[in-house]
Coordinates of all heavy atoms in Angstrom, one line a residue:
P217 N 153.7 76.8 37.6 CA 152.4 77.4 38.1 C 151.2 76.4 37.8 O 150.2 76.6 38.5 CB 152.2 78.7 37.2 CG 153.6 79.1 36.9 CD 154.4 77.8 36.8
S218 N 151.3 75.5 36.9 CA 150.3 74.6 36.6 C 150.3 73.4 37.5 O 149.4 72.5 37.5 CB 150.4 74.1 35.2 OG 151.6 73.4 34.9
S219 N 151.3 73.3 38.4 CA 151.4 72.1 39.3 C 150.5 72.4 40.5 O 150.9 73.0 41.5 CB 152.9 71.9 39.8 OG 153.7 71.8 38.6
T220 N 149.3 71.9 40.4 CA 148.3 72.2 41.5 C 148.3 71.1 42.6 O 147.6 71.3 43.6 CB 146.9 72.2 40.8 OG1 146.6 70.9 40.2 CG2 146.8 73.3 39.8
M221 N 149.0 70.0 42.4 CA 149.0 68.9 43.5 C 150.3 68.8 44.1 O 150.5 67.7 44.7 CB 148.5 67.6 42.8 CG 147.1 67.7 42.1 SD 146.6 66.2 41.4 CE 146.3 65.2 43.0
S222 N 151.2 69.7 44.1 CA 152.5 69.6 44.6 C 152.5 69.3 46.1 O 153.2 68.5 46.6 CB 153.3 70.8 44.3 OG 153.4 71.1 43.0
S223 N 151.6 70.0 46.8 CA 151.5 69.8 48.3 C 151.1 68.3 48.6 O 151.7 67.7 49.5 CB 150.5 70.8 48.9 OG 150.9 72.1 48.7
A224 N 150.1 67.8 47.9 CA 149.6 66.5 48.2 C 150.7 65.5 47.8 O 150.9 64.5 48.5 CB 148.3 66.2 47.4
I225 N 151.4 65.7 46.8 CA 152.5 64.8 46.3 C 153.6 64.8 47.4 O 154.2 63.8 47.8 CB 153.0 65.2 45.0 CG1 151.9 65.0 43.9 CG2 154.3 64.4 44.6 CD1 152.3 65.6 42.6
S226 N 153.9 66.0 47.9 CA 154.9 66.1 48.9 C 154.6 65.3 50.2 O 155.4 64.7 50.8 CB 155.2 67.6 49.3 OG 155.6 68.3 48.2
E227 N 153.3 65.4 50.6 CA 152.8 64.6 51.7 C 153.1 63.1 51.5 O 153.5 62.4 52.4 CB 151.4 64.9 52.0 CG 151.1 66.3 52.5 CD 149.7 66.6 52.8 OE1 148.9 65.6 52.7 OE2 149.3 67.7 53.1
S228 N 152.7 62.6 50.3 CA 152.9 61.2 50.1 C 154.4 60.8 50.1 O 154.7 59.8 50.7 CB 152.4 60.9 48.7 OG 151.0 61.1 48.6
L229 N 155.2 61.7 49.5 CA 156.7 61.4 49.5 C 157.2 61.4 50.9 O 158.0 60.5 51.4 CB 157.4 62.3 48.6 CG 158.9 62.2 48.6 CD1 159.4 60.8 48.1 CD2 159.5 63.3 47.7
F230 N 156.9 62.5 51.7 CA 157.5 62.6 53.0 C 156.9 61.6 54.0 O 157.6 61.3 55.0 CB 157.4 64.0 53.5 CG 158.5 64.9 53.1 CD1 158.4 65.7 51.9 CD2 159.6 65.0 53.9 CE1 159.5 66.5 51.5 CE2 160.7 65.8 53.5 CZ 160.6 66.6 52.3
S231 N 155.7 61.2 53.8 CA 155.2 60.1 54.7 C 156.0 58.8 54.6 O 156.2 58.1 55.6 CB 153.7 59.9 54.4 OG 153.6 59.3 53.1
C232 N 156.4 58.5 53.4 CA 157.3 57.3 53.2 C 158.7 57.6 53.7 O 159.3 56.6 54.3 CB 157.3 57.0 51.7 SG 155.8 56.2 51.1
I233 N 159.2 58.8 53.5 CA 160.5 59.0 54.0 C 160.5 58.9 55.6 O 161.4 58.4 56.2 CB 161.0 60.5 53.6 CG1 161.3 60.5 52.1 CG2 162.2 60.9 54.4 CD1 161.6 61.8 51.5
L234 N 159.5 59.5 56.2 CA 159.4 59.4 57.6 C 159.2 58.0 58.1 O 159.8 57.6 59.1 CB 158.2 60.2 58.1 CG 157.9 60.2 59.6 CD1 159.1 60.8 60.4 CD2 156.6 61.0 59.9
K235 N 158.5 57.2 57.4 CA 158.3 55.8 57.7 C 159.6 55.0 57.6 O 159.9 54.2 58.5 CB 157.2 55.1 56.8 CG 156.7 53.8 57.2 CD 155.6 53.3 56.3 CE 155.0 52.0 56.8 NZ 153.8 51.6 56.0
V236 N 160.4 55.3 56.6 CA 161.7 54.6 56.5 C 162.7 55.1 57.5 O 163.4 54.2 58.1 CB 162.2 54.9 55.0 CG1 163.7 54.4 54.9 CG2 161.4 54.2 54.0
C237 N 162.7 56.3 57.9 CA 163.7 56.9 58.8 C 163.2 56.8 60.3 O 164.1 57.1 61.1 CB 164.0 58.3 58.4 SG 164.7 58.5 56.8
S238 N 162.0 56.5 60.5 CA 161.5 56.6 61.9 C 162.3 55.8 62.9 O 162.6 56.2 64.0 CB 160.0 56.2 61.9 OG 159.2 57.2 61.4
P239 N 162.6 54.5 62.6 CA 163.4 53.7 63.6 C 164.7 54.4 64.0 O 165.0 54.4 65.2 CB 163.6 52.4 62.8 CG 162.5 52.3 61.9 CD 162.3 53.7 61.4
E240 N 165.4 54.9 63.0 CA 166.7 55.5 63.4 C 166.5 56.9 64.1 O 167.3 57.3 64.9 CB 167.6 55.7 62.1 CG 168.0 54.3 61.6 CD 169.0 54.5 60.5 OE1 170.0 55.2 60.7 OE2 168.9 53.8 59.4
I241 N 165.4 57.6 63.6 CA 165.1 58.9 64.3 C 164.8 58.6 65.8 O 165.3 59.4 66.7 CB 163.9 59.6 63.6 CG1 164.3 60.1 62.2 CG2 163.5 60.8 64.5 CD1 163.2 60.7 61.5

Side-chain angles (χ1 to χ4, degrees):
S218 61
S219 303
T220 57
M221 302 183 66
S222 301
S223 297
I225 295 171
S226 298
E227 289 180 10
S228 295
L229 177 58
F230 272 92
S231 67
C232 284
I233 291 176
L234 178 61
K235 193 172 184 178
V236 169
C237 298
S238 288
E240 294 191 45
I241 292 175

